[in-house]
Amino acid sequence: MALIALILLPAIGGLVAFFAAGKGERERWVTIATFALMLVLLFAIVAAGDDGRWYDKVSYPWVPSFGISLEFAIDGLSAVMIALAAGLGIISVMASWSEIRTQSGLFHASLCWTVAATVGVFLSFDLLIFAFFWEAMLVPAFTLIAVWGHGDKEGAALKFLIFNAAAGFGLLAASFALAAMADHMTFSAFELAEMKLSTHVQVWMLLGFSLAFMVKLSVPPFHAWLPEAHTLAPTAGSILLAGLLLKTGAYGLFRFAPMLFPDGLAAVAPYGIALGAAGALYGGLVACGQNDAKRLVAYTSIAHMSIVLMGISAGVHYALAGAAVEMVAHSFSASALFLLIGALYERTHTRDLRQLGGLQQTAPKFAAAFALFCSALLALPGTANFVGEALVVVGIFQVNWVFALLALSTLIVSVIYATRLLKGLVFGLPQPKPPLADMSWREYWPIVVMGIGTLIVGLYPQSLLALLEPAIKAALIQTP
Amino acid sequence: MTAAQFAALSPIVVLAIAAVAAMMLVPLARLQIVQAAAAAGLALAAAVALLRIGAPAAPMGALFTDDGPARFGIVFACLVSLGALVFLRTGHPAKEAPSLLVLVAIGAATLAGAGHAATLFLGVEILSLSLIALFAFRLTRQGLEAAYKFLVMSGLASSALLLGIALIFAETGALAFADWGGRGALTAFGTALLLAGLAFKFSLVPFHMWTPDAFEAAPASAATLAGVVSKSAVAIVILRLALSGHLPEPVWSQGLAALGGASVLIGNLLALRQPQLPRMLGYSTIAHSGYIALIIASGTPHAGEAVLFYLAIYAPAMLGALCVSAALGRAPTLPDLHGLMKRRPLEAIALSLSLLSLAGLPAAGGFIAKLFLLRVLIDGGLWVLVGIVVAGSSLGFFYYAKFFTAPFVGHTHDESEPLHRLDRGLLIVCIALIVIFGVAPAGLMNVVAATMAP
């Protein structure tokens, strides 16, 4: 029951926020309280869990005649992702405190519903329920971009919706095909994983699933929706997109590809690594050429998600651990950068690197935060991103050294774009002219929290890896 | 006539009495009383039909069938017509309209139970003639144009239908569906004509031309009757003909699949750039007919359930969207919808949820209907049709999403009157049904399974 409460809580919180909107900041506090309650509930579930892999596991019938049940389970990986979801939810509310002034009730409801649907994704082990939440998250996220975005927001939101919803059909079709092969009507991933399928069939099913996951991960050539959606979304939307929605793609691949199609994944692994390497290089190189700071960070997301794809495809212990850590690390670094750039944009009304600069003289808090998260972007040792990317590269060395060299070269590109961002914003002459107000503490503390998170995971990765270990073991597809 | 037979026909009898009563009340009573009489008749007929659910099928002879889909069709026609009657008030202040609306319901109920060519033709004609009158009622240029188009198309469809029936009769010497079964050229050609005639009514491409015009020019209530009531009755007849398996397989199934596939693709493509809400809905209803046709054409074991399920989910969404469209005055365009959320939140929410459901996104009912559709096609291994559905609904996201966002952005001034409480009630019922079907579909799934169980 607790797991269902974990999904219902933000769903209902969203409704309350929707109707509470009006005078004062009620809807903001309702939303924050909802996410805080989620964190408490999550902690209770994890603390009460037994020593096995699953802290909690439930199954209720939903549509019995169809073989669909509400099958939820939570392990370390799910728990970490849900904690991120609730945490980023709170940060999104903080980040949009002064930015969002119209239709505030609907805005906070959309935040809550996006989080509710992603939590559903992180908990579901019935493939159709998974698909239900998978598509359900698109609607509030679409609303976030289309209503409160900048510029050609509707075009960007439409692109986001159509790419992802169309790719969702791959997931649906493969789920039905998989269920049709079972001896009785079921969509339970645990039961379907027991089936012995030929490698050939597994590859086809995996491609169906991957279509949905790759588009969400935005690995090139499936990335076309991402730059616009991230750039034109309001700050909170960018935070949720980068921090959460991209991770659902990584999560789905991490969780279901090795679980349901181990042979199929092993067969296509080299292509996965190659695609990931190409994507990381492409995303990184395009990021180097951007002048819009937000767009630059959006392209780095493509690069980092491609590294996650490489790690999952490699399928060895180090690489998987690296991919899992990178998922968390990227949530911190990308969300923090979007938040910072959003706050800067509110003050200067520009995101153009050529018209900005000198933050270290005018706004030291800004400058310090940019310095930390640009270091994370280039995976400087000490940050969580270093742990993730280094582990992925080490893992890939065990599989094939050519791919490993490719993966290494992507890290070099990351140095270029990260330093370019840092140089453009922090150093040089102060621009634009009237010195801008530094961040207030209300704006700053989410940054501090994410910074501490990045450093803790970077300096003591075991804190995170211990939680993720069972899920990583389960995702192993080959031993070096 | 035995008691069981009379019980099976009683909903239609009740409807017929209501139609006559509503007509006779015209010179005697106020508009509200005429409407109340029609509403009471529809409600009573629906109640009578609902009471018979679970009763054993009555032996009806050849003309009428008393199976699950027929009962479902009758309840469905009565309830949706009742919904249409609610916003018929604004579109048709004339006293004759309620009687015509009940006649449409009679036609749909007859058609849903048709087991014989004569009943089929009778149902189609009752439906079409009362619809033409409803389309033309307002005597505006566009209304007349829509009615005229529909009249010509209906005439064509009826001739095709009749010729088809005649050709099949020429070979098999039978008019009851159960006795058809010829395998010769006459039957093949007759089947093709029969299918074409039904496709007109079902607005499948290339027989769809009347639909968008009707949706744009006719009052929303008439559009509901044409787009939901008449269409679902035709769907049930097509389903019965398909399940009976007496028509020559290649012509019937592949023809239906081809028409369905074309409707899905072309309906969605043509809807893409429609700036007007009712016109967009008109094209989208063509696409939805296509999906239903594909379900029937798949011929898989769960196809019957899937069709009824699809209709039940499609109805509140279309009803909600058309009711909002009617509330905003004549043919609202995209800019007319801007800022709707601030001005009229109930309408905005109802419209957005309806469009969400039509697009097939969760947590609206349409997602579950889409699941059922995909399952049926994949069960049959029909990957080409799956591809068509995927392409079609991906296009669909585009235009539904455009209309979905409009209520939340911008501002527009509007002078249309606030909604009557009956309309508000109807919208709330639609919202509730869309959400319930989307979040807890097991109940509807069981009803549909029980309906199709032999």
Side-chain angles (χ1 to χ4, degrees), chain A residues 18-19 62-68 102-103 106 128 131-139 142-143 146-148 153-154 157-158 161-162 165-167 169-170 172-174 176-177 180 185 187 205, chain B residues 302 305 338-339 341-342 349 356 360-364 367-368 370-372 374-375 378-379 383 386 389-390 393-395 397-399 401-402 404-405 407-409 438-442 445-446 449:
Chain A
F18 183 73
F19 288 109
W62 193 51
V63 185
S65 60
F66 226 90
I68 314 177
T102 55
Q103 306 261 19
L106 186 68
L128 284 194
F132 177 93
F133 287 118
W134 183 264
E135 303 220 345
M137 83 178 123
L138 300 179
V139 180
F142 166 81
T143 314
V147 178
W148 296 275
K153 54 194 180 179
E154 280 169 33
L158 270 178
L161 180 76
I162 291 166
F169 279 109
L172 282 176
F176 277 112
M185 197 68 190
F187 289 95
M205 298 291 119
Chain B
H302 293 283
E305 289 169 45
H338 282 164
M341 185 67 198
K342 272 186 207 133
I349 293 172
L356 212 59
L361 285 168
F367 179 70
I368 316 286
K370 190 173 81 176
L371 286 188
F372 221 146
L374 281 177
R375 178 195 166 181
I378 291 173
D379 275 356
W383 291 100
V386 173
V389 167
V390 170
S393 13
S394 307
L395 284 174
F397 294 130
F398 188 79
Y399 58 88
K402 261 200 313 202
F404 168 79
T405 5
F408 304 109
V409 294
V439 177
M445 209 74 107
N446 291 339

Side-chain angles (χ1 to χ4, degrees), chain A residues 3 53 151 240 257 293 373 399 418 421:
Chain A
L3 294 186
R53 175 165 172 212
L240 286 190
F373 288 105
V399 181
L421 183 65

Side-chain angles (χ1 to χ4, degrees), chain B residues 94-432:
Chain B
K95 286 184 185 172
E96 290 82 1
S99 171
L100 285 170
L101 183 137
V102 179
L103 276 172
V104 173
I106 295 177
T110 314
L111 203 49
H116 189 278
T119 334
L120 170 71
F121 192 69
L122 195 65
V124 166
E125 287 304 296
I126 299 178
L127 255 179
S128 313
L129 292 176
S130 11
L131 271 176
I132 293 167
L134 275 174
F135 281 163
F137 220 91
R138 214 155 35 187
L139 284 181
T140 57
R141 205 186 147 275
Q142 283 152 315
L144 283 177
E145 187 190 330
Y148 192 74
K149 266 187 193 158
F150 189 68
L151 175 70
V152 174
M153 295 287 192
S154 281
L156 262 174
S158 301
S159 349
L161 205 61
L162 265 185
L163 187 56
I165 292 170
L167 287 175
I168 298 176
F169 180 75
E171 185 176 319
T172 58
L175 285 175
F177 297 168
D179 300 332
W180 286 353
R183 287 286 171 268
L186 280 180
T187 299
F189 194 52
T191 304
L193 281 172
L194 181 71
L195 187 58
L198 290 173
F200 266 112
K201 295 284 149 201
F202 202 39
S203 53
L204 289 177
V205 170
F207 309 109
H208 64 286
M209 266 70 126
W210 59 274
T211 317
D213 290 313
F215 269 67
E216 182 189 348
S221 50
T224 312
L225 294 170
V228 185
V229 178
S230 127
K231 194 176 261 193
S232 30
V234 177
I236 287 172
V237 166
I238 297 180
L239 176 66
R240 181 168 301 121
L241 282 168
L243 290 180
S244 73
H246 291 311
L247 292 170
E249 191 59 26
V251 182
W252 176 258
S253 296
Q254 290 176 19
L256 196 57
L259 293 179
S263 308
V264 167
L265 291 177
I266 295 176
N268 278 315
L269 264 178
L270 292 179
L272 275 184
R273 304 206 68 81
Q274 297 302 328
Q276 264 185 7
L277 177 62
R279 242 188 131 70
M280 182 277 272
L281 289 173
Y283 281 109
S284 105
T285 187
I286 296 171
H288 283 281
S289 292
Y291 297 130
I292 295 174
L294 290 184
I295 297 178
I296 301 176
S298 76
T300 41
H302 293 283
E305 289 169 45
V307 169
L308 301 188
F309 192 79
Y310 204 101
L311 290 174
I313 283 180
Y314 166 76
M318 206 33 123
L319 205 57
L322 282 168
C323 184
V324 173
S325 165
L328 296 177
R330 306 253 310 123
T333 55
L334 257 182
D336 292 337
L337 295 174
H338 282 164
L340 193 64
M341 185 67 198
K342 272 186 207 133
R343 288 179 277 137
R344 318 173 78 161
L346 180 66
E347 284 93 318
I349 293 172
L351 180 65
S352 296
L353 263 178
S354 301
L355 295 178
L356 212 59
S357 187
L358 290 174
L361 285 168
F367 179 70
I368 316 286
K370 190 173 81 176
L371 286 188
F372 221 146
L373 165 68
L374 281 177
R375 178 195 166 181
V376 167
L377 296 184
I378 291 173
D379 275 356
L382 304 164
W383 291 100
V384 176
L385 298 186
V386 173
I388 291 176
V389 167
V390 170
S393 13
S394 307
L395 284 174
F397 294 130
F398 188 79
Y399 58 88
Y400 289 123
K402 261 200 313 202
F403 280 88
F404 168 79
T405 5
F408 304 109
V409 294
H411 309 268
T412 307
H413 185 64
D414 94 301
E415 302 102 30
S416 54
E417 300 191 357
L419 275 189
H420 189 266
R421 59 194 149 75
L422 274 177
D423 293 275
R424 299 181 70 84
L426 177 67
L427 283 185
I428 290 171
V429 170
C430 288
I431 292 175

Side-chain angles (χ1 to χ4, degrees), chain A residues 366-383:
Chain A
F366 259 120
F370 270 118
L372 173 63
F373 288 105
C374 286
S375 322
L377 212 54
L378 64 80
L380 204 69
T383 62

